[in-house]
Every structure is written in structure tokens, then in C-alpha cells.
Amino acid sequence: NEKKREGLIEYPMRKARVRYLGSPLVNKKLRCVVMSLDTGTVIVPHNGAVISFGKDMPLSELPVRGDTLSLLFRTNVSDKTPFEFAVGGTPRLVRNGKAAHEASIEGSTARRFISGNLSRTAVGVDKTGTLLYLVAVDGTHRANGTRGMTLSELAGVMKDLGAWNALNLDGGGSVSMV
């Protein structure tokens, strides 16, 4: 609902809608052109992205319509190899067979995100890297009796399933298994 969205921290942030001027790759600069600058709910453009700027960004430093920007999404491993497809998330849930989310190490401090019984998705691989685990957790709903999971619970489930390494993906309303 609109009132709930307006209360989110991202809602009042300034956002630039950009159109890619090439094919996006991880580990390679991508030029893009600013289509508009706005706040509130912003539609992601076809062949583009939305870039959010913090409230601490001075107005004089924000891009304007027509500006060309360079974006760079990098990995910390194989950083010279361009990737066409990548999946990102936070935090890591299982590392080398040990279930312990790394939210604080990765900079996530929101208590609700860490300890809330929320809808969640996760991806993991077994020790050999040949078996992929995809998990979707339904959130808290009184009507059907589900309650979601905390990050610690999700880490435990991923390890119990056999994940040697696992990562939390997006949650909330985007959780679905298709």
C-alpha cells in the first residue's frame, strides 16, 4: 500500500533513472545516460536501472537529465573476468559448511532484517559445487499459520539441506518459487 511505501527509508531518496548505452557486464564499466531524477516510487526503465542517492548527497553533485555516468559492478574474485549474468545478495548464510550469517560483517545492522520472521529466499551449493539449493520461505501469515524465518534460522536450514556455501537473496514481496 502507498502509505507503507512512503514510510520506507528508500521512498524519499533521490533516484536517477538511467538507460544503458551498452550491454551490462559485471567487472566492466558501463556507460549510461540519465533519463530523469525523482523521488518516491520510480519505475525501472527497460534496458536500464535506478540509482538511489543518500540524503547526504548535496544537490549540486546529483546528476541531471542527459548526463552520462559510468557504472562498475565488481566481484572480489575473478575481478578481471567479465560476467554477463550474476546474482547478488546479502548476507552470506553458510561459509565452508559453517552456518552463521555474516550480516554485521557485511554492514547489515537492521534488527528487523536480521531477527525478524520474514519471507526470504536463499541460494546455496554443496561442497562439490555440483548441487544447487534454492529455498523460498513464506512470511508471517496468520491465515495459513506460516511465520517466516530469521537469518540464523535460514542459515541452519541451508546447512541442514546440505549447502556448503549459501547466500541470502531478496525477501519480502519478491519471494516466490517459479
Side-chain angles (χ1 to χ4, degrees):
N1 91 25
E2 191 66 24
K3 281 289 185 204
K4 187 175 181 182
R5 268 198 300 270
E6 288 175 14
L8 298 174
I9 193 167
E10 297 90 357
Y11 192 82
M13 294 174 97
R14 293 181 193 96
K15 302 166 191 86
R17 294 179 68 237
V18 298
R19 181 177 40 83
Y20 301 143
L21 296 176
S23 296
L25 295 173
V26 176
N27 293 326
K28 185 174 180 191
K29 281 188 181 177
L30 172 65
R31 291 172 31 91
C32 53
V33 63
V34 177
M35 299 166 60
S36 64
L37 195 66
D38 208 342
T39 59
T41 302
V42 178
I43 304 298
V44 177
H46 177 69
N47 197 29
V50 174
I51 303 170
S52 297
F53 299 96
K55 294 177 187 177
D56 58 341
M57 176 77 113
L59 285 173
S60 61
E61 293 185 26
L62 290 173
V64 296
R65 187 172 193 262
D67 281 354
T68 301
L69 307 176
S70 289
L71 302 179
L72 177 60
F73 301 100
R74 288 194 339 213
T75 59
N76 60 352
V77 177
S78 302
D79 62 346
K80 303 290 186 242
T81 305
F83 294 96
E84 185 175 359
F85 301 102
V87 174
T90 189
R92 183 186 288 256
L93 299 168
V94 181
R95 181 187 294 271
N96 300 327
K98 183 176 185 247
H101 73 76
E102 299 178 3
S104 61
I105 295 168
E106 296 179 20
S108 297
T109 59
R111 191 171 22 239
R112 182 173 183 274
F113 172 69
I114 295 169
S115 302
N117 292 320
L118 305 173
S119 300
R120 302 196 186 261
T121 56
V123 62
V125 293
D126 69 353
K127 191 172 184 176
T128 66
T130 59
L131 189 58
L132 179 70
Y133 300 93
L134 297 171
V135 173
V137 178
D138 198 5
T140 303
H141 301 286
R142 287 191 188 124
N144 64 15
T146 61
R147 71 164 191 85
M149 283 189 178
T150 67
L151 286 177
S152 293
E153 290 170 334
L154 184 58
V157 165
M158 294 304 290
K159 181 181 183 327
D160 290 348
L161 287 172
W164 184 251
N165 287 294
L167 178 67
N168 182 66
L169 300 174
D170 201 9
S174 65
V175 173
S176 65
M177 185 69 72
V178 180

